[in-house]
Amino acid sequence: MPRVRPARFVLGLLAVMVTSWIWSVLFYVVSPIPYYTVQQPDDPVAAARSLREYFPVSGTYILPGRSATREEATLLRREGPVAHVFLEADGPPLSQGVKNLLGSAQGLAIGTFLGIAMLMLNRYTTRYWNHVAIVSSVAMAYTVYPRVADIVFSDYPPGYTLMMIFSDGVSFVLMAMGMAWFTRPTPPRAP
């Protein structure tokens, strides 16, 4: 089986982590694209107070939920609104430092799984673009599966969901490209 130096694998992990951070900053901070897919209330403070009145505890709320009577669910499904609300009653739950650490750990975990997949692929093909295409295809299938299910089963807005498919898909392809580069087999040394 073709060999990959451990140092190259570790560099691949770091490349995946940095790639995911760069893509996230460019897409979600610099680019306005995500904000074209969500609505903003005219009075965010009044909207927040209204949410706190009906949703006093942090959590995820779904309307109509399982506790709704059949009549309530039918009314909300017929006339609206239906909603999926993620709420932190007291503001952000984690400090930015903790979020950065968790994001870094996430990037390393994704890199580890991408790297393992590519090391297994080295048994069958050692071509860079084969690795990128195979791993990206699997990643895209995973990306599309839950997002389209959100549209069908959870009433998520299609525009927002398609934006997330695009974001996740590009991110996975970029990370696969990075890890594929670092998991290319090391040529055997001449005697």
Side-chain angles (χ1 to χ4, degrees), residues 140 143-144 147-148 161-170:
M140 288 304 297
T143 297
V144 170
R147 303 292 185 190
V148 173
T161 303
L162 293 173
M163 179 272 301
M164 292 300 294
I165 290 171
F166 173 78
S167 170
D168 292 349
V170 170

Side-chain angles (χ1 to χ4, degrees), residues 151-164:
I151 294 172
V152 175
F153 300 111
S154 300
D155 303 310
Y156 274 63
Y160 173 80
T161 303
L162 293 173
M163 179 272 301
M164 292 300 294

Side-chain angles (χ1 to χ4, degrees), residues 19-184:
T19 299
S20 67
W21 275 110
I22 290 171
W23 172 253
S24 294
V25 168
L26 290 176
F27 191 73
Y28 292 102
V29 178
V30 176
S31 165
I33 293 171
Y35 301 97
Y36 294 147
T37 65
V38 295
Q39 302 295 319
Q40 301 292 316
D42 292 333
D43 186 346
V45 173
R49 287 181 180 145
S50 177
L51 284 171
R52 183 168 279 167
E53 178 182 346
Y54 291 99
F55 307 115
V57 178
S58 295
T60 303
Y61 297 87
I62 297 174
L63 296 174
R66 290 189 183 260
S67 63
T69 66
R70 183 173 293 218
E71 294 78 24
E72 291 168 334
T74 300
L75 176 70
L76 289 174
R77 290 274 176 213
R78 186 177 63 238
E79 298 178 16
V82 295
H84 196 157
V85 178
F86 303 102
L87 184 83
E88 287 298 335
D90 300 317
L94 300 172
S95 72
Q96 193 61 39
V98 172
K99 287 181 181 182
N100 288 339
L101 284 173
L102 290 174
S104 297
Q106 176 194 32
L108 293 173
I110 292 168
T112 299
F113 289 114
L114 288 175
I116 289 168
M118 290 184 189
L119 292 177
M120 288 189 285
L121 284 174
N122 278 345
R123 294 178 182 173
Y124 308 102
T125 179
T126 58
R127 293 188 172 155
Y128 172 78
W129 288 110
N130 287 356
H131 283 214
V132 172
I134 292 167
V135 171
S136 294
S137 297
V138 172
M140 288 304 297
Y142 169 75
T143 297
V144 170
Y145 163 69
R147 303 292 185 190
V148 173
D150 283 343
I151 294 172
V152 175
F153 300 111
S154 300
D155 303 310
Y156 274 63
Y160 173 80
T161 303
L162 293 173
M163 179 272 301
M164 292 300 294
I165 290 171
F166 173 78
S167 170
D168 292 349
V170 170
S171 180
F172 270 115
V173 170
L174 292 173
M175 290 186 289
M177 290 172 71
M179 185 50 92
W181 181 261
F182 288 100
T183 55
R184 291 171 300 137

